[in-house]
Amino acid sequence: MKEYKLQGLSCANCAAEMESEIKKLDHGEQSQLKFGSSKLMVNEDVDLERVRQILKSDGASLVEEEGHEHTHDHSHGPNMKLLVILSGMIFGLTFIVESMVPSFVVIAMYLIAMGISGYQTFLKGAKNLIRFKFNIDTLMTIALVGAIAIGEWREATMVAILFGLNEYLEGLGMEKARNSMEKLLKVAPKQATLLRENGTEVVVSIESLQKDDVVLVKAGEKIPSDGIVIEGFSSVNEAAITGESLPVEKAPGETLYGGSINNEGLIKVKIAKAYQDSSLAKILHLVEEAQDRKTPTELFINRFAKYYTPIIMVISGLVMVAPPLFTSASWGASFYQGLAVLIVGCPCALILSSPIAIIAGITRNARNGILIKGGVFLEQLGKIESIAFDKTGTLTKGEPTVQETKVYHDDFYKIAGSIEKSSSHPIAKAVMKEVETIQQALVEPTAVNAIPGKGIHAEIEDSMYYIGSEQTISHLTISEGQSQDIEGLKEEGYTLVIVSSDEEVLGVFGIADEIREESATLIKDLHKAGIQKTIMLTGDHEKTARKVAEKIGVTDVYADLLPDQKVDQVKALSRSRKLAMVGDGINDAPALATADLGVAMGKGTDSAIETADIVLMQDHLGKLPSAVKIAKQVNRVVKLNISLALGLKLFALLLTIPGWLTLWVAILSDMGATILVTLISLTVLWQKPGAQTEAINEEGEVQPSA
């Protein structure tokens, strides 16, 4: 399959019809015309000339030049805006001089104005009539011919001009949403400075980079692909990946994400992945694909539109013939009213009610570092009522830290640090982190031995010391106060690390998984955003889980869960209300897949991108409430758009009862609905001043918003 960029694609209904025509060509069965991203996928063996003809029939065309930059047309033809203005000026002039010149001159001027803005619609509609194909162009052509037939020259011209303006504005709104997405996609770098083995530098395209290549990245340049710093120090703007505006310091050995911007010094980077396998490439591909995944609402609208137009034509016919047959109404007036009903039947606003808002929502979330894999998942997120969280690594940092200490001897920290300083065990690292805050002088222990299931004993300055669980002090008699302290720490759900000698207990570390700083605020913000239940799922024992839950404010806790039990719990929770599952995208894959919606927190890891429906590209959940709010806003906008589109048309149709519906009122009702749904949809892109999001400038550079 070969991919082509399109220009001049402004009508979703027309795009679907053109796709249907292209699929009828030889080798065209698998063709896809993507209205959202304005792209065409066709088999290389398809007759491209025939494809061009089909596209041309609706004012669209292929953009075949590699890397060609262009501005999309906003309607049928590159100068539609100018044509509408010109025909409007001629119409205005004709209206002014109508009483001063012969009627044939007036008719000629109206025809010229009508032809300038409506000739393309007329030609397409005429072709469709011959093929008994009824769409918006067919309806408009019938209306124009009918108005001319009954001598309504001024009305016919007004219809042609307003319809041309409507088509232009419709395309303009869709293009605004597309352009916001395209600016986002421009964050991908184009070239890189490759450092060859002989030390020479050469500029190459990023597509040619291979794993283990070494590149030089100067200040202000983009990192070409995922890699590792092997030389140099700098700060990097990772907003293109994570949506975070604060720079991240990078030193040799640290990882980099493709598309990040090197803020300062020259760094040498070893490529970890070819660009097409990088996090950025996957993100951009998924974001682009997301535009064309239809939501249930969009699918319903498309099905409805298929029946909507024929129904309108039947209603139009009844309006034309029923009143004269059964009442004293004149045939001319009824015919005129029937033509107006045809115009009211244009489905443009209805079809546009969803896609612009969906693209705007996906784009705005992507700018925030929130990757939503399709409109269907955005719509689903807006319907979520409860969210379940894996505890470890999600609500907590996934690494043990000392939460509380009980000190009974001055040498407590010195002995603990001296024994644990050489250990790589996570708990030993937690102890050392705490010891370092006290700045104790450590000594080198001798005869260090591990006691399975207990801990470590070591000889320090001719005395024996122990560090580990309660079992390491089974040989000691401890005071009532120490016993109460130990029981209290256990009640708090802490893991105990006890330091003792042969004679006494020196002190106790109470260790637990550290809660993320943002977790409590996150839960509060989610409840404010309309989430009714926040649930924590964990394999930890009940006391530890309850302790964390109390601190962060989740509504429900399920502890002591094995992986398969976690999946069963997600299934059970999903039965009562719409449930999203949030995890790290690695260990939680089964639960993420089981929930109504899977949300992974991964900062660009492959597993996170591949597992979930939504990926938070940061290493925290701080932007999840924002994603929920945007999704709910999109759903509200789509419902409002549908109501407006159908409501205005229903209002216009009701005007036929007293005979007040005119052709220009009909086209204004259709144009008004189109303009309203477009403008309302574009409000999704609007960000409150001061919000912590990123803006993408015309060159695709990431810039913090003001």
Side-chain angles (χ1 to χ4, degrees):
M1 299 287 283
K2 191 170 181 180
E3 183 181 277
Y4 293 92
K5 192 73 180 171
L6 300 177
Q7 57 184 356
L9 192 64
S10 62
C11 168
N13 194 41
C14 305
E17 291 174 354
M18 287 190 291
E19 180 184 75
S20 178
E21 290 294 316
I22 293 170
K23 283 183 175 181
K24 293 176 184 177
L25 301 177
D26 291 339
H27 311 292
E29 298 83 0
Q30 303 301 316
S31 300
Q32 289 182 305
L33 201 161
K34 301 177 179 181
F35 176 66
S37 54
S38 197
K39 288 186 176 181
L40 174 67
M41 301 284 292
V42 291
N43 190 299
E44 292 186 1
D45 295 326
V46 78
D47 186 345
L48 209 56
E49 194 54 43
R50 287 285 296 116
V51 170
R52 287 194 182 93
Q53 291 173 10
I54 292 171
L55 294 172
K56 187 178 179 181
S57 70
D58 195 62
S61 60
L62 300 177
V63 179
E64 299 177 70
E65 294 81 359
E66 189 70 28
H68 178 70
E69 297 292 333
H70 65 280
T71 302
H72 290 294
D73 304 318
H74 302 304
S75 187
H76 303 306
N79 300 308
M80 190 63 198
K81 181 179 178 181
L82 294 175
L83 294 178
V84 170
I85 292 173
L86 179 60
S87 60
M89 292 172 65
I90 295 173
F91 175 82
L93 177 63
T94 308
F95 183 78
I96 293 171
V97 303
E98 191 170 359
S99 59
M100 309 175 193
V101 296
S103 60
F104 72 89
V105 175
V106 173
I107 292 173
M109 292 178 72
Y110 277 138
L111 278 173
I112 291 170
M114 194 187 310
I116 289 173
S117 60
Y119 76 96
Q120 290 183 341
T121 300
F122 179 82
L123 291 176
K124 286 187 292 182
K127 290 177 183 176
N128 290 338
L129 269 176
I130 294 171
R131 294 181 290 179
F132 293 98
K133 178 181 174 183
F134 297 98
N135 62 8
I136 174 63
D137 298 310
T138 314
L139 297 182
M140 293 306 300
T141 299
I142 293 172
L144 285 173
V145 171
I148 292 171
I150 60 176
E152 294 286 350
W153 297 98
R154 184 191 301 167
E155 296 263 339
T157 307
M158 176 68 80
V159 166
I161 293 171
L162 290 178
F163 182 70
L165 178 61
N166 187 46
E167 289 282 273
Y168 170 73
L169 293 174
E170 178 185 327
L172 186 66
M174 192 66 207
E175 203 53 43
K176 175 70 174 176
R178 281 200 199 111
N179 285 342
S180 68
M181 179 68 76
E182 287 188 358
K183 289 175 187 176
L184 176 72
L185 298 178
K186 286 181 182 179
V187 299
K190 302 292 187 295
Q191 295 178 321
T193 304
L194 178 65
L195 187 63
R196 298 194 185 279
E197 292 182 2
N198 60 8
T200 59
E201 300 175 14
V202 58
V203 177
V204 299
S205 67
I206 60 169
E207 287 81 5
S208 65
L209 291 178
Q210 300 297 318
K211 183 180 178 182
D212 296 331
D213 281 348
V214 176
V215 297
L216 292 176
V217 184
K218 300 173 185 176
E221 291 183 345
K222 294 177 183 177
I223 312 298
S225 185
D226 295 354
I228 300 170
V229 179
I230 58 175
E231 189 177 305
F233 297 84
S234 185
S235 66
V236 173
N237 183 345
E238 294 182 344
I241 299 291
T242 67
E244 304 281 18
S245 58
L246 293 177
V248 181
E249 298 297 326
K250 296 292 182 179
E254 295 194 82
T255 58
L256 297 165
Y257 295 104
S260 304
I261 299 173
N262 179 20
N263 287 333
E264 295 153 3
L266 177 70
I267 54 175
K268 192 181 292 185
V269 180
K270 185 177 182 180
I271 299 298
K273 296 176 184 175
Y275 174 73
Q276 57 268 27
D277 299 321
S278 69
S279 300
L280 180 65
K282 289 180 180 179
I283 290 167
L284 297 184
H285 174 71
L286 288 171
V287 169
E288 198 169 18
E289 289 293 307
Q291 300 174 77
D292 296 294
R293 292 188 183 182
K294 300 291 185 186
T295 68
T297 301
E298 286 180 291
L299 293 172
F300 169 76
I301 290 172
N302 289 341
R303 287 195 300 270
F304 179 75
K306 287 182 181 178
Y307 302 102
Y308 174 78
T309 301
I311 289 172
I312 286 293
M313 294 190 71
V314 170
I315 294 173
S316 173
L318 290 174
V319 170
M320 288 179 180
V321 300
L325 288 176
F326 301 106
T327 70
S328 58
S330 70
W331 284 96
S334 297
F335 185 74
Y336 178 86
Q337 291 279 297
L339 293 178
V341 170
L342 276 183
I343 295 174
V344 171
C346 298
C348 299
L350 184 64
I351 292 170
L352 273 183
S353 60
S354 181
I356 295 178
I358 293 292
I359 291 175
I362 291 172
T363 302
R364 186 170 156 196
N365 274 307
R367 287 177 176 176
N368 285 340
I370 303 164
L371 173 61
I372 298 180
K373 294 185 178 179
V376 61
F377 303 121
L378 183 67
E379 184 176 295
Q380 184 80 307
L381 180 61
K383 296 177 180 177
I384 289 297
E385 300 167 296
S386 56
I387 300 180
F389 299 88
D390 171 60
K391 180 182 79 70
T392 306
T394 305
L395 295 172
T396 64
K397 292 184 177 180
E399 50 188 55
T401 58
V402 174
Q403 301 288 318
E404 197 169 336
T405 58
K406 300 294 181 181
V407 182
Y408 309 123
H409 194 284
D410 290 342
D411 287 339
F412 169 58
Y413 289 107
K414 173 184 173 182
I415 298 303
S418 298
I419 297 175
E420 298 282 38
K421 67 179 182 178
S422 300
S423 175
S424 59
H425 192 281
I427 289 181
K429 290 181 177 179
V431 168
M432 285 306 301
K433 188 175 180 180
E434 182 71 13
V435 169
E436 287 167 1
T437 64
I438 308 300
Q439 297 182 336
Q440 283 279 326
L442 306 181
V443 296
E444 196 65 38
T446 57
V448 179
N449 290 296
I451 309 170
K454 293 184 178 181
I456 299 172
H457 69 106
E459 187 177 334
I460 299 175
E461 296 176 341
D462 299 326
S463 295
M464 190 63 69
Y465 294 95
Y466 305 84
I467 186 167
S469 65
E470 276 187 272
Q471 293 181 356
T472 62
I473 60 169
S474 58
H475 61 291
L476 295 176
T477 300
I478 61 175
S479 69
E480 184 178 347
Q482 290 173 346
S483 179
Q484 288 176 350
D485 286 344
I486 289 172
E487 289 304 314
L489 292 172
K490 287 164 66 177
E491 283 293 323
E492 292 289 323
Y494 294 133
T495 298
L496 302 187
V497 175
I498 302 174
V499 182
S500 64
S501 66
D502 280 330
E503 292 82 24
E504 61 181 324
V505 176
L506 306 184
V508 183
F509 293 103
I511 293 179
D513 190 0
E514 186 176 0
I515 297 173
R516 290 179 177 272
E517 293 84 354
E518 74 277 4
S519 291
T521 304
L522 161 79
I523 299 301
K524 189 184 297 182
D525 289 345
L526 285 173
H527 288 155
K528 286 181 181 177
I531 301 300
Q532 300 169 16
K533 292 278 188 180
T534 49
I535 304 144
M536 188 172 73
L537 307 178
T538 179
D540 279 355
H541 56 77
E542 187 79 18
K543 287 181 180 177
T544 302
R546 291 285 174 192
K547 179 76 175 178
V548 173
E550 287 172 11
K551 287 185 177 180
I552 64 177
V554 295
T555 57
D556 298 273
V557 180
Y558 297 91
D560 297 310
L561 297 176
L562 297 173
D564 58 329
Q565 292 174 322
K566 193 179 289 186
V567 172
D568 292 339
Q569 192 62 58
V570 168
K571 287 180 181 176
L573 291 167
S574 297
R575 293 190 195 107
S576 57
R577 48 172 54 90
K578 293 284 185 182
L579 176 76
M581 173 67 194
V582 182
D584 60 15
I586 301 171
N587 302 319
D588 303 308
L592 292 174
T594 303
D596 296 305
L597 195 69
V599 182
M601 180 182 70
K603 201 174 183 180
T605 58
D606 291 345
S607 56
I609 293 174
E610 291 165 6
T611 303
D613 307 314
I614 298 174
V615 183
L616 308 177
M617 302 305 295
Q618 310 88 27
D619 57 357
H620 60 79
L621 297 173
K623 296 196 175 182
L624 181 58
S626 169
V628 172
K629 289 176 183 175
I630 292 170
K632 287 183 179 293
Q633 181 186 0
V634 168
N635 285 357
R636 287 195 302 269
V637 163
V638 170
K639 288 177 183 176
L640 177 60
N641 284 347
I642 293 172
S643 300
L644 284 171
L646 293 178
L648 283 173
K649 291 181 183 301
L650 179 61
F651 173 75
L653 288 175
L654 290 175
L655 292 178
T656 60
I657 297 173
W660 295 345
L661 182 63
T662 63
L663 292 179
W664 66 269
V665 168
I667 193 68
L668 276 177
S669 72
D670 181 65
M671 184 173 71
T674 300
I675 293 172
L676 279 174
V677 301
T678 300
L679 292 177
I680 292 170
S681 294
L682 290 175
T683 62
V684 175
L685 285 172
W686 182 74
Q687 188 77 33
K688 289 182 180 179
Q692 293 300 309
T693 57
E694 303 304 313
I696 309 293
N697 68 16
E698 293 292 342
E699 287 70 41
E701 300 290 346
V702 183
Q703 296 180 325
S705 59

